[in-house]
Structures are given as structure tokens and as C-alpha cells.
């Protein structure tokens, strides 16, 4: 079962055609790599992907929604994500979820297989937009954290009246330079170590944020916040803020688009879908508990003044060294998260180039390079040029639109409905041959409609926020 001749995976292009219109279809063929992943490496990949920049915006989101709607929204999005992940786990193998000979190693592959080439192209576009957007968000977040470290040391040494503000652009360029190097890691199977380190960092800074929030509450002697959330001058302004907050929350659960890539790293036995379901339950439970703690503690500490980035609220804290350490952890974590969401995109585009130009030495030839004091590594000119250009482009866009909360909200609203709800439900209905207008069919269609309305409101609200920020 490890390397079936008919499996679909992510390293070699193979040409297929859609029977309805004979349009070439790029799927991928079985790779020779041995799959060694376990439930815990899968949990590490998921945690690396989801407990990132999104968790730091949850106190702000809770402040817009209030004590009831805030936690409820987190639980609602978590439930939808977990339900969707269960549907996706069973699509990895086809036709049998546990022993089927065909493996789909990416979101694009599984949509192509079950819903046809047109839906496959649409899903591929949305997935890659999401991957690209996550990269932009991580560049912005890393720059904010690096700038906060520099400002903290400056204020501590020169006093609060000192002029310590620095331009985030320099830190964006620094983060991009490191990512150019890390992006030369061959593929998703080679970043397990990076995911483990990043997951440890994510827990560290999240717990520091919660701990500092609790300390602030104790110091004040009371908890801030209200049932209805922040007060605004008009109902329209409140509606836009609520939409942005919901978009930020939906951004905090984005692992559905990398679920199949993670599942493709798992060893068998047991069947991959069983392992992945266990990993999903463990990871979503951990992240939801952490998100609730972080959102609630941050809102209770700052109330209506909750910052868009939780750690930014502790800039003048006596424990500045602890805040700086948390920001270092964020940067290390984002180094890994950037790769978790970039490697699938790299594989998609590089496989396309190999499919289109099978005889090109620039595209296909790999050189072994040995530098002093370093182990030998593979160098491919296509990978070097494409990945470098990709990283540079994410940095440039981040410099132009450095709006943390609004960018997160737009990304969450774009990806949540189509990728977390619509396509998984459609694939499930097709696989299970569910009859129209049965109870199951009605419930799943209602789930899809609700997700669409939710995503649309979030998207409109976040676009309005970006326009307002850009104008002001």
C-alpha cells in the first residue's frame, strides 16, 4: 500500500484528460519517497499551520463581538473546520477511503478527480491565492514582531519619550531573505523538523500572551469587556467591525487546504484516513482551547482597547524581556508556517513546468552542490528562480498593504466557504451518492448556504476595512 502504481501524488507530472471535453489535466504520480508520518507529526504540521498570526488577533476579534458572540464564533468555526476535515480525510484514497488504489496528494488532485477539471481549476486558483495570501500575512506579522523587539529595547534603554519607531519594511526584507534560503528545501516531506520546532514556538508565545493577560487582569483587579463588545458611533461601523472579526476568526482555522498534503506524509498501517481523523481531533481541540483562552484573556485584560496583535499591548510591560522572547518565538514559528503553506504551491507550479517542458535542462536537471562545512544539497535552477521570485513578490505586496487585521480577514473570508465547506461537501455528496431532498442532503446544503453567507459578509467587511485604512 506504500507505493501503489495507480496512486496520485506530488512529484512527477502525468497527463490525463477529462472525458467530457478532452482538456489536458495535470495530476501527479506516485513519488518514491517513503512515507513515515505519524499522528503526532500530522498534529505538528496542523498546529504549525493554524496556531500562528491568527491567534494574536483573537482578543481584538472578541472585543468586536463581546463575551457571548466572540467565544461562540470561535467554537462555530472550529466545529465547521473539524466536520469538513472528516469529509476530506475520506477522499484521500479512491474509491475506498481505506484501501483504494488511487491516492490524491493535494486539494487540487482530489477536486479534479471527483468534480472535474473546471472545478479543479477553480479550486486550484483559490487554494493558491490562499497560499500566497498566507505568505503575505506571515511577512507582515514577522515584521511587526521584529519591530516590537527593537522598539522594546530602545524604550527600555532610552526611556518612553525616546523616538524609537522603526520602519517595518527593513524587517520584511530580512524575513524575506531568510525565506529565500528556506524555500530551497525540496518538498513538504523534508520539513517535518521545521514543523515540530515551529509548533513548540507557537505554544510558547501563545501561553506567554495568555499569562501576561492574566497578570494584567490581576494587576487591575477586574476584568474588562462587555456582552455586546466595543461601542461604535454607528450601526454600520459596528457591522463592518463584526465582519472583520469573523474574518479573522475564520483565518485562524485554515488547515483544510493542506490537509491532504499532510495526509500524504502518513505511513500505513493504520489507514491514513484513520490517522488523519485522530490528528484533526487532537489538533482542533488543542487549538480551540488555546484560542478561547487567548481571546478571552486578552479581551478581559484590555477590553475595548484590545490591540490587533495581542503582544503589542504589553509594549510598556515590566516583563519586556518576556514579551521580546515571545516575539522571537513568533518569528521562528512564522519561518516554519511560511514553508508549510508555500511548499504545496511550489509543487503545483513546478510540476506544471515539468509537464510543459519535459526536455528542458533548466526545468528538470538537478545538480548536487557541496559547500565547505555544509552537507551536500540538490540545486535545480527552476526551483531556485521560481521560489526566489515568489518570496520577493510576497514581501513587495506586504510592503504595499501592511494592514494586519484586515489582511487576515480577507484571506479567511476568501478561503473559508469554498475550500473548507463547499468543495468537501460536494465531493462527499458525490462519493456517498446521497439522494436529493433527503434529510442528510438538506442539512449539508444548509451548511453550505450558511458558510457562503458567512464568508461573503466577512469579505465585504474586510475590504471596507482595507479601503478605510488606505484612505486614512
Amino acid at each position: 500500500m506504500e507505493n501503489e502504481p495507480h496512486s496520485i501524488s506530488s512529484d512527477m507530472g502525468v497527463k490525463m484528460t477529462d472525458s467530457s471535453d478532452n482538456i489536458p489535466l495535470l495530476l501527479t504520480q506516485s513519488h518514491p519517497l517513503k512515507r513515515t508520518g505519524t499522528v503526532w507529526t500530522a498534529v505538528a504540521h496542523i498546529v504549525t499551520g493554524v496556531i500562528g498570526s491568527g491567534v494574536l488577533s483573537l482578543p481584538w476579534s472578541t472585543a468586536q463581538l463581546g463575551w457571548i458572540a466572540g467565544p461562540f464564533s470561535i467554537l462555530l468555526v472550529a466545529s465547521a473546520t473539524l466536520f469538513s476535515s472528516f469529509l476530506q480525510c475520506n477522499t484521500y484514497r479512491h474509491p475506498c477511503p481505506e484501501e483504494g488504489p488511487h491516492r490524491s496528494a493535494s486539494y487540487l488532485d482530489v477536486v479534479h478527480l471527483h468534480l472535474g477539471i473546471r472545478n479543479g481549476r477553480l479550486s486550484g486558483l483559490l487554494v493558491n491565492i490562499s497560499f500566497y495570501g498566507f505568505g503575505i500575512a506571515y511577512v507582515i506579522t514577522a515584521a511587526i514582531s521584529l519591530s516590537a523587539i527593537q522598539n522594546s529595547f530602545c524604550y527600555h534603554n532610552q526611556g518612553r519619550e525616546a523616538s524609537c519607531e522603526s520602519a517595518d519594511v527593513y524587517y520584511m526584507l530580512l524575513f524575506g531573505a531568510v525565506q529565500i534560503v528556506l524555500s530551497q528545501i525540496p518538498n513538504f516531506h523534508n520539513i517535518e523538523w521545521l514543523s515540530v520546532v515551529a509548533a513548540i514556538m507557537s505554544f510558547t508565545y501563545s501561553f506567554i500572551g495568555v499569562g501576561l493577560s492574566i497578570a494584567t487582569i490581576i494587576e487591575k483587579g477586574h476584568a474588562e469587556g462587555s456582552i455586546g463588545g466595543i461601542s461604535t458611533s454607528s450601526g454600520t461601523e459596528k457591522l463592518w467591525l463584526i465582519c472583520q472579526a469573523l474574518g479573522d476568526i475564520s483565518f485562524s482555522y485554515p488547515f483544510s487546504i493542506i490537509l491532504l498534503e499532510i495526509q500524504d506524509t502518513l505511513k500505513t498501517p493504520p489507514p491514513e484516513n484513520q490517522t488523519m481523523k485522530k490528528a484533526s481531533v487532537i489538533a482542533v481541540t488543542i487549538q480551540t482551547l488555546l484560542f478561547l483562552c487567548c481571546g478571552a484573556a486578552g479581551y478581559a485584560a484590555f477590553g475595548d482597547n484590545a490591540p490587533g496583535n495581542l503582544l503589542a499591548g504589553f509594549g510598556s510591560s515590566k516583563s519586556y524581556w518576556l514579551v521580546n522572547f515571545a516575539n522571537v518565538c513568533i518569528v521562528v514559528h512564522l519561518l516554519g508556517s511560511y514553508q508549510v503553506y508555500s511548499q504545496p504551491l511550489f509543487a503545483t507550479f513546478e510540476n506544471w513546468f515539468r509537464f510543459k517542458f519535459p526536455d528542458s535542462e533548466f526545468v528538470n536537471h538537478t545538480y548536487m552542490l557541496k559547500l565547505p562545512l555544509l552537507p551536500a544539497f540538490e540545486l535545480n535552477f527552476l526551483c531556485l528562480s521560481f521560489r526566489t521570485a515568489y518570496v520577493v513578490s510576497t514581501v513587495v505586496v506586504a510592503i504595499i498593504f501592511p494592514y494586519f487585521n484586515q489582511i487576515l480577514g480577507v484571506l479567511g473570508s476568501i478561503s473559508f466557504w469554498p475550500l473548507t465547506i463547499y468543495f468537501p461537501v460536494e465531493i462527499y455528496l458525490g462519493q456517498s451518492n446521497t439522494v436529493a431532498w433527503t434529510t442528510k442532503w438538506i442539512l449539508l446544503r444548509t451548511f453550505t448556504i450558511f458558510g457562503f453567507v458567512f464568508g461573503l459578509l466577512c469579505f465585504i467587511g474586510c475590504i471596507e476595512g482595507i479601503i478605510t485604512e488606505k484612505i486614512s
Side-chain angles (χ1 to χ4, degrees):
M1 190 177 292
E2 192 81 19
N3 285 301
E4 300 86 339
H6 301 293
S7 62
I8 300 171
S9 188
S10 58
D11 288 320
M12 295 175 57
V14 62
K15 183 176 179 181
M16 300 182 65
T17 57
D18 182 77
S19 58
S20 62
D21 49 16
N22 292 323
I23 300 175
L25 171 62
L26 180 63
L27 292 179
T28 45
Q29 196 175 45
S30 180
H31 53 67
L33 296 173
K34 183 178 181 180
R35 296 180 294 133
T36 60
T38 65
V39 63
W40 295 111
T41 61
V43 169
H45 282 313
I46 296 172
V47 168
T48 299
V50 299
I51 303 182
S53 52
V55 70
L56 300 174
S57 70
L58 292 178
W60 181 88
S61 300
T62 306
Q64 314 313 308
L65 298 167
W67 277 121
I68 295 178
F72 176 77
S73 298
I74 293 174
L75 292 173
L76 184 65
V77 175
S79 300
T81 302
L82 186 60
F83 176 69
S84 171
S85 71
F86 275 34
L87 297 181
Q88 283 183 268
C89 289
N90 289 332
T91 65
Y92 174 68
R93 286 188 178 273
H94 178 77
C96 175
E98 295 187 357
E99 298 179 354
H102 295 274
R103 290 191 289 121
S104 298
S106 72
Y107 200 105
L108 174 61
D109 286 345
V110 76
V111 177
H112 267 157
L113 180 64
H114 292 280
L115 300 180
I117 190 169
R118 290 178 177 83
N119 282 309
R121 286 172 174 169
L122 176 60
S123 71
L125 175 64
L126 292 171
V127 166
N128 288 316
I129 288 175
S130 297
F131 286 150
Y132 188 74
F134 290 139
I136 296 169
Y138 294 148
V139 172
I140 296 172
T141 311
I144 291 173
S145 295
L146 289 169
S147 180
I149 295 171
Q150 190 272 334
N151 293 340
S152 175
F153 280 117
C154 178
Y155 288 132
H156 181 73
N157 294 327
Q158 300 182 28
R160 297 300 300 177
E161 303 302 323
S163 178
C164 295
E165 296 298 323
S166 58
D168 290 346
V169 62
Y170 300 113
Y171 298 111
M172 292 181 182
L173 294 173
L174 176 62
F175 184 79
V178 176
Q179 286 300 341
I180 288 175
V181 176
L182 290 178
S183 292
Q184 305 313 312
I185 295 174
N187 54 52
F188 204 92
H189 295 259
N190 296 97
I191 62 172
E192 285 185 0
W193 64 272
L194 190 58
S195 285
V196 172
V197 172
I200 294 172
M201 295 296 102
S202 68
F203 282 115
T204 302
Y205 69 72
S206 297
F207 283 126
I208 289 174
V210 172
L212 289 173
S213 297
I214 294 173
T216 301
I217 298 169
I218 294 173
E219 184 178 342
K220 289 183 176 180
H222 67 278
E224 303 282 352
S226 63
I227 298 297
I230 190 172
S231 300
T232 59
S233 58
S234 68
T236 303
E237 182 183 359
K238 179 71 173 180
L239 176 62
W240 295 140
L241 290 174
I242 289 174
C243 291
Q244 291 177 37
L246 293 175
D248 284 3
I249 292 173
S250 63
F251 176 84
S252 300
Y253 287 91
F255 82 95
S256 59
I257 62 175
I258 56 171
L259 184 146
L260 292 176
E261 277 87 355
I262 296 173
Q263 192 165 340
D264 191 48
T265 67
L266 300 177
K267 64 182 180 181
T268 56
E272 299 94 340
N273 67 327
Q274 293 182 14
T275 304
M276 197 64 205
K277 286 178 181 179
K278 292 179 182 178
S280 298
V281 171
I282 294 171
V284 171
T285 300
I286 291 172
Q287 72 196 57
T288 301
L289 291 174
L290 190 57
F291 288 177
L292 288 171
C293 290
C294 192
Y299 182 40
F302 297 105
D304 290 353
N305 296 317
N309 184 325
L310 175 60
L311 292 177
F314 304 108
S316 59
S317 172
K318 296 177 182 178
S319 302
Y320 76 96
W321 58 270
L322 188 58
V323 178
N324 289 341
F325 176 68
N327 278 305
V328 170
C329 292
I330 290 175
V331 175
V332 174
H333 174 252
L334 294 177
L335 290 173
S337 292
Y338 190 102
Q339 289 303 310
V340 167
Y341 285 101
S342 296
Q343 288 292 338
L345 185 146
F346 295 158
T348 297
F349 280 88
E350 289 164 10
N351 284 336
W352 182 86
F353 277 110
R354 294 184 183 111
F355 171 70
K356 296 293 289 186
F357 307 101
D359 300 322
S360 170
E361 184 173 340
F362 176 84
V363 171
N364 295 288
H365 191 73
T366 299
Y367 301 87
M368 292 302 298
L369 190 63
K370 180 69 174 71
L371 297 178
L373 304 178
L374 293 176
F377 61 93
E378 297 179 351
L379 178 64
N380 174 271
F381 286 122
L382 169 66
C383 295
L384 179 63
S385 56
F386 173 75
R387 298 183 183 198
T388 300
Y390 171 86
V391 174
V392 170
S393 68
T394 60
V395 173
V396 170
V397 175
I399 292 172
I400 298 173
F401 298 103
Y403 311 123
F404 180 71
N405 290 94
Q406 290 81 4
I407 290 295
L408 298 192
V410 167
L411 295 174
S413 59
I414 288 176
S415 63
F416 183 74
W417 175 71
L419 302 181
T420 302
I421 297 179
Y422 175 74
F423 285 120
V425 168
E426 291 300 311
I427 292 172
Y428 174 80
L429 290 174
Q431 268 192 323
S432 60
N433 296 316
T434 303
V435 179
W437 301 109
T438 59
T439 301
K440 180 191 293 186
W441 187 91
I442 293 173
L443 289 175
L444 288 172
R445 290 301 184 193
T446 303
F447 177 60
T448 302
I449 293 171
F450 172 81
F452 175 76
V453 174
F454 178 90
L456 181 62
L457 289 175
C458 293
F459 180 75
I460 294 173
C462 294
I463 290 296
E464 189 276 340
I466 289 178
I467 294 173
T468 300
E469 287 284 345
K470 191 69 175 176
I471 293 175
S472 62

